[in-house]
Amino acid sequence: MNLTLRIWRQRTADASGGSGSMVTYEVTGISPDMSFLEMLDHLNEELILRGEEPVAFDHDCREGICGACGMVINGQAHGPERTTTCQLHMRHFDDGDVVDVEPWRAGAFPVVKDLVVDRSAFDRIIGAGGYVSVPTGSAPDAHATPVPKPVADLAFEHAECIGCGACVAACPNGSAMLFTSAKVVHLNVLPQGAPERESRVLGMVGAMDAEGFGGCTNTGECAVACPKGIPLSAIGRMNREYLRAATRPR
Amino acid sequence: MALATTRRAPASSFIGSVWRSTVGKKAVMAVTGLIMLAYLVAHMLGNLKVFFGAGEFNHYGQWIRTIGEPFLHHEWFLWIARVGLTVSVGLHGVAAYQLSRRDLAARPAKYVRKRARASYATRTMRWGGVILGLFIVWHILDLTTLTVNPNAQEGHPYENLVASFGRWYVDVFYIAAMLALGLHIRHGFWSAAQTLGANSPRRDRAFKIVANALAALLTCGFIAIPIGVMTGVVS
């Protein structure tokens, strides 16, 4: 199959995005079994042969579990299927389609080059409380800390977040609430996370605000775009955790 | 590097830290929104007495001034409610303005390929709120201070109301504002539940039903009055 791609090309980092533009490429000989990233590899091989600069994009595991890849395809984060860009296959497009490919757009995610954005703002949110402090030494007995099955399931549902940033890219406000809430809920519902329950949510929300992400208007675009199916209710749970922590006497 | 083992005392007060955080500011919007919503339900139910004639409606208007007597002095309840509502409108508006500025700044470079996003009620929250703010100013000038009322008889709210709704453009503006109110509540009530952490997957549907019911009830209840005047049921 053949496609017309319009890809955001930007040579250098520039917060305003003014130095880049959409460039049109005709890509031929695409197999429907290629992933979207393999299709871009296919384009890049051709660009290299022509002596042009290949399109830069982030990728790593290519099996939908690492969260490295991500681009906005036809206005949708990770494209038309509910999966990561690496697991999106070309059979979901039709021969002759015009496909727009853009980087995540958020002030807190500055474009580094082409489709690559700097997502280290997420790392700083994690650094503000997205961990549990454990005593070092030998591994504890598996049954030392009982975790009820429903709680374990709830924690796991939120632990599935791979930090790809699709929620920020899809949110009309560029808000990181779904990411932050997934991490807060994952740890706050578990007994292992209990000692830092309050400082975690206050610290992570503070870091999220400091990075310049927008606020939540309960639009719900994030949960629709999330390739891991983090539910919108995560945000409600984090709000409850935040208000509980903020109103506790200190 | 070792992790800090002691926690620093919070640098700011409780109110300051909540107001500065996006989550806290949304909570302020949710609480003030619910206060205004509770007032609107009472306001709408009271206003429907207009369909029982001038005597009952004007008596109701007088009774509002005597609520809480003799514990409260004449009209004190009214003024406490007015101050409470003014503070609520002010905080709601300021928080919405500050959060909107922040939200718009969070995406300096827009997407080239646009996509229709979210429901109509969700997308119109900001401009709907501005319309409602302007409506409140006009509504107070018309029926509270009587500054722009064609009848402007103090102590005769029924006659003032009928005179005001006798003008077609007032009816149009009023009905448009009430439709905006319905849309605002449709998203706002559910959103407040989510913001205050009262929502959960099991309650989500119930909150959406209550939000839609409140929106429909308030919009229909308020719109009934200008329609009553226009059709001559209230005269």
Side-chain angles (χ1 to χ4, degrees), chain B residues 4-67:
Chain B
T5 48
T6 56
R7 209 147 59 78
R8 271 184 299 129
S12 60
S13 67
F14 161 65
I15 292 172
S17 57
V18 166
W19 181 254
R20 264 193 301 281
S21 127
T22 53
V23 177
K25 208 170 274 187
K26 278 287 285 197
V28 171
M29 285 189 72
V31 170
T32 54
L34 290 174
I35 290 170
M36 291 187 279
L37 181 61
Y39 164 75
L40 282 178
V41 172
H43 187 47
M44 190 270 292
L45 293 175
N47 281 3
L48 290 180
K49 285 181 184 54
V50 80
F51 289 103
F52 299 107
E56 188 156 336
F57 189 71
N58 287 348
H59 177 253
Y60 162 71
Q62 285 305 313
W63 170 78
I64 287 174
R65 279 146 228 282
T66 64
I67 296 173

Side-chain angles (χ1 to χ4, degrees), chain A residues 16 22 72 74-76 100 102-103 105-107 168-171 173 199 209 212-219 221 232-233 236 239-240 242-243 246-247 250, chain B residues 3 7 10 14 17-18 20-24 26-27 102-103 106-113 115 117-118 122 126 187 190-191 194-199 201:
Chain A
S16 71
M22 298 295 275
V72 173
N74 284 343
Q76 285 178 286
D100 287 325
E102 298 174 73
R105 289 294 190 193
V168 176
C171 176
N173 310 320
S199 60
D209 286 345
F213 291 106
C216 179
T217 51
N218 297 316
T219 308
E221 291 289 341
L232 192 60
S233 59
N239 289 334
R240 185 156 66 232
Y242 177 87
L243 294 173
T247 51
R250 274 173 283 179
Chain B
L3 291 172
R7 209 147 59 78
F14 161 65
S17 57
V18 166
R20 264 193 301 281
S21 127
T22 53
V23 177
K26 278 287 285 197
R102 186 190 170 89
D103 293 347
R107 175 157 297 140
K110 310 286 176 223
Y111 287 110
V112 175
R113 175 79 163 246
R115 207 167 62 85
R117 282 164 197 276
T122 310
R126 286 177 187 143
H187 178 74
W190 172 81
S191 186
Q194 177 84 348
T195 301
L196 294 175
N199 202 8

Side-chain angles (χ1 to χ4, degrees), chain A residues 15-35:
Chain A
S16 71
S19 67
S21 63
M22 298 295 275
V23 178
T24 305
Y25 297 97
E26 302 291 340
V27 188
T28 54
I30 300 166
S31 155
D33 296 329
M34 283 179 175
S35 75

Side-chain angles (χ1 to χ4, degrees), chain B residues 134-215:
Chain B
L134 294 174
F135 170 78
I136 291 167
V137 171
W138 172 81
H139 192 58
I140 289 170
L141 289 175
D142 185 28
L143 292 169
T144 308
T145 66
L146 307 175
T147 317
V148 296
N149 192 281
N151 193 47
Q153 256 186 300
E154 187 111 19
H156 293 84
Y158 185 88
E159 289 76 10
N160 295 336
L161 180 148
V162 172
S164 185
F165 284 135
R167 299 168 291 178
W168 67 268
Y169 53 90
V170 170
D171 296 324
V172 169
F173 178 43
Y174 188 89
I175 290 170
M178 290 309 104
L179 292 173
L181 176 72
L183 286 173
H184 207 75
I185 290 169
R186 183 184 145 92
H187 178 74
F189 180 77
W190 172 81
S191 186
Q194 177 84 348
T195 301
L196 294 175
N199 202 8
S200 70
R202 280 172 67 187
R203 296 185 198 160
D204 192 66
R205 206 174 127 75
F207 274 117
K208 280 190 172 141
I209 290 170
V210 172
N212 286 339
L214 278 171

Side-chain angles (χ1 to χ4, degrees), chain A residues 165-226:
Chain A
C167 45
V168 176
C171 176
N173 310 320
S175 174
M177 285 285 278
L178 194 69
F179 166 78
T180 310
S181 63
K183 301 300 175 187
V184 166
V185 173
H186 162 209
L187 297 176
N188 272 23
V189 297
L190 290 172
Q192 289 86 345
E196 288 140 327
R197 186 174 170 185
E198 287 88 23
S199 60
R200 172 177 304 115
V201 63
L202 294 175
M204 290 177 76
V205 168
M208 176 186 83
D209 286 345
E211 292 294 339
F213 291 106
C216 179
T217 51
N218 297 316
T219 308
E221 291 289 341
C222 52
V224 175
C226 178

Side-chain angles (χ1 to χ4, degrees), chain A residues 22-23 41-42 78 83 103-104 110 120 132 152 171-172 208 223 227 230 244:
Chain A
M22 298 295 275
V23 178
D41 291 337
H42 179 67
H78 291 305
T83 181
W104 289 168
S120 55
V132 292
C171 176
M208 176 186 83
I230 304 297
R244 178 185 171 279

